[in-house]
Amino acid sequence: MNILHISDIHYCQNDKVYSKGYKGMIYKMDNPLIHLEACLKEVIQTQQIDLLLISGDLTEDGSVEDYAYLKKWFEEQIPNMKIIVTLGNHDIKENFYEGWLGKVSSSDSYNLVETFEEFYLISFDSSVYGLADGSMSDEQFNWLEEQLNNHQDKPVILMTHHHVLENQSSTPVLPESNRLINLISEYSISCFVNGHTHHVFNGDIHGIPYFTVNGMSFVGEDEGSGLVRFEQKHGYNIYQVEDGMVKKQLSENFFTGKIIARVDMKNDI
């Protein structure tokens, strides 16, 4: 099975003009669907893709309309492909349930387990809207532990939004990272995949392959003293899974050379 992994689309239909700060940068950046469409076409033309994973921050502002539009867009672009998502800190659960899932609005964490012939895919919700670093409550920890206990007959691919390795980025990790790492180290995890940092990173957690994918919208480079240089950059990962384990991983990263804006994140957000 070949799995395509993308993250951090930050899609937004809002045409309100912002001249400065982070919102000004979002207004100036390219529509992420332009680059996403090109990536999807390139991947599909060159190889068979069986599953698409999106690890959070589907939208920038989390509106019902943005989720509904984005879901319809994917259905038109890749009508026969299964899509599994998790939520990020820019996503609003209530609006996601209504706009993306077409269900009654809910504040419940969006967790799910999908069964495949060779593995299980667990999508674990670490998101709290407005809390950039995310959170893992006791209730969420207990849910994940229960699922891992109940799904031990096959390897597990675990997807969440936030990263958990402190050495990979200047962006703070999920506050409960150590607790999460200690938990999954006791089980047969095929790989751990996430987004959030917008920077591609490959590592491991006690031998578990660990993959952070590039964002599909922008990347922020820390220039110090709160100043961040936002660049137009995007990318995706592909995982080749055999017998439930990742046998090959490919990262494709695209640099446009465009600096969108420099933003003082301490004083001008």
Side-chain angles (χ1 to χ4, degrees):
M1 173 181 280
N2 290 328
I3 301 174
L4 175 63
H5 177 203
I6 64 173
S7 192
D8 296 270
I9 303 170
H10 287 264
Y11 175 69
C12 180
Q13 294 185 79
N14 191 341
D15 59 0
K16 184 176 180 179
V17 177
Y18 294 90
S19 62
K20 62 179 183 178
Y22 173 81
K23 285 293 187 181
M25 183 279 297
I26 291 293
Y27 179 77
K28 294 174 187 175
M29 78 174 184
D30 295 343
N31 183 338
L33 299 188
I34 296 173
H35 301 298
L36 178 53
E37 181 178 0
C39 287
L40 289 175
K41 287 182 177 179
E42 176 183 284
V43 172
I44 292 171
Q45 288 174 357
T46 58
Q47 57 191 296
Q48 174 68 37
I49 297 296
D50 305 293
L51 174 65
L52 172 64
L53 303 180
I54 309 176
S55 54
D57 282 357
L58 285 77
T59 69
E60 172 62 26
D61 297 319
S63 73
V64 173
E65 294 76 17
D66 283 354
Y67 287 120
Y69 181 90
L70 194 58
K71 181 67 176 295
K72 182 179 179 182
W73 186 90
F74 273 110
E75 290 173 345
E76 293 174 348
Q77 295 290 323
I78 45 175
N80 299 314
M81 188 177 298
K82 187 173 184 61
I83 302 173
I84 301 176
V85 309
T86 190
L87 302 184
N89 50 288
H90 281 265
D91 293 310
I92 298 176
K93 300 183 199 303
E94 292 85 350
N95 295 342
F96 168 80
Y97 273 92
E98 185 176 345
W100 180 275
L101 297 179
K103 296 183 177 181
V104 175
S105 177
S106 172
S107 62
D108 291 344
S109 296
Y110 182 66
N111 303 314
L112 75 159
V113 180
E114 291 281 351
T115 302
F116 296 90
E117 183 178 353
E118 299 177 351
F119 62 91
Y120 297 108
L121 189 292
I122 296 181
S123 177
F124 176 72
D125 187 356
S126 62
S127 72
V128 178
Y129 181 66
L131 188 61
D133 302 339
S135 180
M136 182 180 180
S137 66
D138 288 342
E139 181 180 2
Q140 282 290 86
F141 180 90
N142 292 336
W143 179 89
L144 181 57
E145 185 175 33
E146 180 181 1
Q147 300 311 312
L148 292 173
N149 281 327
N150 292 340
H151 296 86
Q152 297 192 60
D153 56 310
K154 303 177 188 178
V156 169
I157 295 177
L158 178 61
M159 175 175 68
T160 192
H161 178 65
H162 292 89
H163 64 301
V164 299
L165 296 182
E166 292 184 355
N167 65 336
Q168 74 174 90
S169 173
S170 60
T171 302
V173 296
L174 179 73
E176 299 80 16
S177 289
N178 289 336
R179 188 182 187 188
L180 179 56
I181 288 171
N182 290 335
L183 173 62
I184 67 174
S185 299
E186 302 298 322
Y187 297 90
S188 177
I189 307 296
S190 175
C191 67
F192 183 113
V193 302
N194 66 283
H196 187 55
T197 70
H198 295 226
H199 287 79
V200 64
F201 179 88
N202 295 351
D204 74 87
I205 300 173
H206 301 306
I208 300 171
Y210 174 95
F211 304 112
T212 303
V213 70
N214 216 330
M216 190 51 71
S217 47
F218 59 84
V219 65
E221 301 292 351
D222 188 354
E223 294 190 338
S225 301
L227 188 64
V228 177
R229 182 181 74 254
F230 289 96
E231 300 178 358
Q232 196 75 63
K233 177 183 175 184
H234 59 281
Y236 58 83
N237 284 357
I238 295 176
Y239 313 115
Q240 185 180 87
V241 178
E242 298 178 9
D243 299 323
M245 307 302 290
V246 176
K247 299 298 182 181
K248 183 178 180 181
Q249 181 267 331
L250 171 69
S251 294
E252 290 286 359
N253 303 292
F254 302 89
F255 305 83
T256 67
K258 176 182 176 180
I259 297 177
I260 308 170
R262 284 181 168 86
V263 179
D264 182 348
M265 297 298 288
K266 289 183 177 180
N267 303 308
D268 192 21
I269 59 175

